[in-house]
Amino acid sequence: MIWYLLFFIVPIAYIVAYSFGRKDSSLLLPVDMSSLSLDSYREVFDDTFFTVFKATIKIAIYATLLCVFIGFPVAYFLAFKVKDRWRGILLALVIVPSFTSFLIRTLAWRIPLAPEGTLSDWLQDWGLRDSPIGLLETRGAVQLALVYNYLGFMILPLFVALDRIQAGLREASKDLGAGRFATFTGVTLPLAGPGIAAGVLLTFIPMCGDYVTATVLGGAKGNMIGAMIASQFSAAQNWPRGSAMAVLMIVAVLGVLGAAVLIFFAAKLLARLLRPLFD
């Protein structure tokens, strides 16, 4: 509780408080808290903010779904198909890229995605493209790098959840007449639910606030809300507006997660109601 109080609750409280202040560049801390107002929130509500914010949510959702669809088969393979002596080595290969700096891993994508890069030259030499690729400084480049950077955070909790499933449960399902698909949907997938939820939280929330990837690879077309917030604190020195953006982003991310939870429980209830028809 002391850890959360000092490094989570207190910083968030400062951000919320700064969002009601006024910009004052004459101060060492450029926030005037003598007269509180909602001016920063009024300034934030413009077309540019909502355009970038919608793009950020869309990129984060797509990248999270891609992490799930790519990470689940990998985690399933590691948990059920790989022998114990090889499992540690393959898990280490999943973790090793995280040993490198996040910035360096993101910068490395500029080499293959560049219009005159090696990948572009190969595609043209093989006749797959007539012109250089134009992925750099687009939303596609940002999304690709996000999946690469955060895929390990999806695979590890999925592997832990799948590895904890007792082999006897899956064997019992097959002994009772269930096929592979029925065993997967009726036993494996529900028991892997906590791992999926943990992986989604560990990827979606950081993706929404990521500004390094958008700054390095996105350019004007792939700008994300994290980069806008960072620019308000650093370049513009407008801490109240940056704080207001941060507060709105936190609320919106919680809203998206809440909507996802409601959709999940609604789908679960619908499946339960329709189960007699399938049976």
Side-chain angles (χ1 to χ4, degrees):
M1 291 306 297
I2 294 175
W3 178 270
Y4 278 111
L5 179 66
L6 294 179
F7 297 102
F8 180 72
I9 297 176
V10 171
I12 294 296
Y14 271 106
I15 292 294
V16 174
Y18 289 160
S19 67
F20 295 103
R22 295 178 182 273
K23 177 184 177 181
D24 190 348
S25 302
S26 63
L27 300 174
L28 180 61
L29 187 68
V31 183
D32 181 11
M33 300 296 296
S34 60
S35 57
L36 304 181
S37 68
L38 296 173
D39 292 345
S40 297
Y41 288 96
R42 296 191 189 98
E43 295 172 359
V44 166
F45 284 104
D46 58 7
D47 293 337
T48 302
F49 174 80
F50 283 109
T51 301
V52 175
F53 182 77
K54 286 189 293 185
T56 300
I57 295 296
K58 187 182 295 185
I59 290 173
I61 290 176
Y62 288 162
T64 302
L65 291 176
L66 284 172
C67 285
V68 173
F69 290 132
I70 297 172
F72 195 95
V74 174
Y76 186 92
F77 177 76
L78 291 174
F80 298 127
K81 303 298 182 181
V82 176
K83 295 181 180 180
D84 293 340
R85 60 180 179 179
W86 295 105
R87 191 174 297 167
I89 297 175
L90 294 178
L91 281 174
L93 293 177
V94 173
I95 300 172
V96 161
S98 299
F99 295 168
T100 311
S101 167
F102 188 92
L103 178 60
I104 293 176
R105 281 185 285 142
T106 306
L107 280 169
W109 277 101
R110 293 189 65 90
I111 299 173
L113 296 181
E116 285 133 15
T118 307
L119 178 61
S120 181
D121 292 341
W122 283 350
L123 292 176
Q124 293 178 77
D125 292 340
W126 294 341
L128 298 177
R129 284 188 63 89
D130 298 329
S131 59
I133 59 175
L135 278 175
L136 197 60
E137 296 189 353
T138 63
R139 292 181 185 177
V142 175
Q143 201 158 312
L144 180 64
L146 285 176
V147 173
Y148 168 74
N149 284 326
Y150 290 97
L151 185 58
F153 296 99
M154 179 65 73
I155 293 176
L156 291 179
L158 282 173
F159 168 77
V160 172
L162 292 170
D163 189 53
R164 289 179 178 177
I165 298 176
Q166 299 178 9
L169 296 175
R170 301 172 73 239
E171 292 174 0
S173 174
K174 295 176 182 178
D175 291 342
L176 292 171
R180 291 185 176 182
F181 181 76
T183 299
F184 175 77
T185 57
V187 178
T188 306
L189 192 59
L191 293 177
I196 297 174
V200 168
L201 291 175
L202 288 174
T203 53
F204 177 74
I205 294 176
M207 284 178 185
C208 290
D210 186 291
Y211 69 93
V212 173
T213 307
T215 303
V216 173
L217 299 175
K221 295 181 181 178
N223 194 15
M224 295 178 68
I225 194 65
M228 286 186 65
I229 295 173
S231 67
Q232 293 297 325
F233 279 96
S234 57
Q237 285 291 298
N238 195 336
W239 288 28
R241 183 184 295 180
S243 299
M245 289 182 177
V247 171
L248 292 175
M249 186 193 73
I250 293 172
V251 173
V253 169
L254 292 176
V256 172
L257 292 175
V261 171
L262 290 177
I263 293 173
F264 171 77
F265 282 109
K268 195 173 181 180
L269 178 61
L270 183 62
R272 187 181 303 171
L273 294 175
L274 295 177
R275 178 144 193 188
L277 295 176
F278 290 107
D279 291 341

